[in-house]
């Protein structure tokens, strides 16, 4: 059994079953189970802050699904495919050659930018070399273009 707690606000347990599946249980500050999920393979679990848990399920490199659970509101985020970065309440994905930055729960979009010259790869996120949020309102992306050359671009985020 893997368990983790942070300031007794967010806690979870991840138990492996005899059939090698896993049960995730998330507890509130009163140790009451507020969320349960079963996985066929071991997920990556991370406590993001005092009340948000990140769950990532790898389905083979570089494919993954990521979602967040907010213990305070007892709400689950949308499922994000092939997340490139998740930090400071922002998640970055590539979908249909669009660089998308939104908050974890998918309520606010900070950027929705088409990368016109993105290399054609089987999985679009494979063309991304790195992504970083340089400060709260700028993002830097390094990617391969159609000629497989490294390109660095910076974009402002709509954080108003």
């Amino acid at each position: 059994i893997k368990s983790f707690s942070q300031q007794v606000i967010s806690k979870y347990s991840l138990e492996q079953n005899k059939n090698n599946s896993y049960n995730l249980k998330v507890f509130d500050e009163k140790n009451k189970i507020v969320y349960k999920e079963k996985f066929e393979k071991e997920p990556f679990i991370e406590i993001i802050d005092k009340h948000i848990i990140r769950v990532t399920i790898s389905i083979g490199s570089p494919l993954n699904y990521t979602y967040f659970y907010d213990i305070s509101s007892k709400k689950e985020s949308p499922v994000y495919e092939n997340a490139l970065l998740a930090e400071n309440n922002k998640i970055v994905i590539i979908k249909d050659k669009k660089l998308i930055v939104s908050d974890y729960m998918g309520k606010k979009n900070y950027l929705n930018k088409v990368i016109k010259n993105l290399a054609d790869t089987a999985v679009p996120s494979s063309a991304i070399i790195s992504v970083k949020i340089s400060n709260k309102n700028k993002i830097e992306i390094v990617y391969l273009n159609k000629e497989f050359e490294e390109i660095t671009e910076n974009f402002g985020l709509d954080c108003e």
Side-chain angles (χ1 to χ4, degrees):
I1 298 175
K2 293 182 182 178
S3 295
F4 182 85
S5 67
Q6 182 182 38
Q7 298 177 352
V8 194
I9 295 172
S10 295
K11 290 198 276 187
Y12 71 87
S13 71
L14 185 63
E15 301 173 352
Q16 184 174 12
N17 301 314
K18 290 179 183 178
N19 66 357
N20 288 326
S21 64
Y22 291 82
N23 290 330
L24 170 66
K25 294 177 186 172
V26 177
F27 305 90
D28 66 10
E29 66 277 352
K30 296 175 184 168
N31 263 355
K32 180 182 170 193
I33 296 172
V34 292
Y35 181 75
K36 293 193 290 187
E37 184 78 39
K38 184 176 180 177
F39 302 95
E40 294 307 312
K41 58 191 290 190
E42 185 174 12
F44 171 76
I45 311 292
E46 178 181 22
I47 294 178
I48 300 293
D49 65 24
K50 295 176 183 172
H51 61 91
I52 295 188
I53 290 181
R54 174 185 179 178
V55 179
T56 301
I57 302 106
S58 174
I59 55 173
S61 183
L63 305 173
N64 67 72
Y65 293 108
T66 297
Y67 68 92
F68 301 88
Y69 184 78
D70 185 326
I71 295 169
S72 298
S73 67
K74 296 180 176 59
K75 291 188 178 174
E76 190 176 327
S77 76
V79 176
Y80 300 99
E81 198 173 308
N82 304 323
L84 301 168
L85 180 70
E87 64 182 34
N88 299 323
N89 195 34
K90 293 179 181 69
I91 185 156
V92 182
I93 63 170
I94 287 278
K95 186 173 185 175
D96 300 325
K97 296 198 177 192
K98 287 182 192 168
L99 180 66
I100 300 170
V101 182
S102 67
D103 72 322
Y104 293 152
M105 301 311 276
K107 294 181 181 176
K108 171 115 175 87
N109 278 333
Y110 301 108
L111 181 70
N112 193 338
K113 178 78 174 167
V114 174
I115 308 292
K116 294 178 183 173
N117 202 22
L118 188 68
D120 293 319
T121 57
V123 179
S125 61
S126 295
I128 307 303
I129 296 168
S130 69
V131 176
K132 68 180 178 181
I133 297 175
S134 55
N135 61 38
K136 292 189 178 202
N137 61 2
K138 289 195 178 188
I139 187 168
E140 178 184 280
I141 179 171
V142 180
Y143 63 93
L144 296 175
N145 67 10
K146 291 185 186 286
E147 291 77 38
F148 291 93
E149 301 165 322
E150 270 189 35
I151 304 293
T152 300
E153 287 196 65
N154 290 283
F155 301 105
L157 301 176
D158 181 14
C159 294
E160 297 296 314

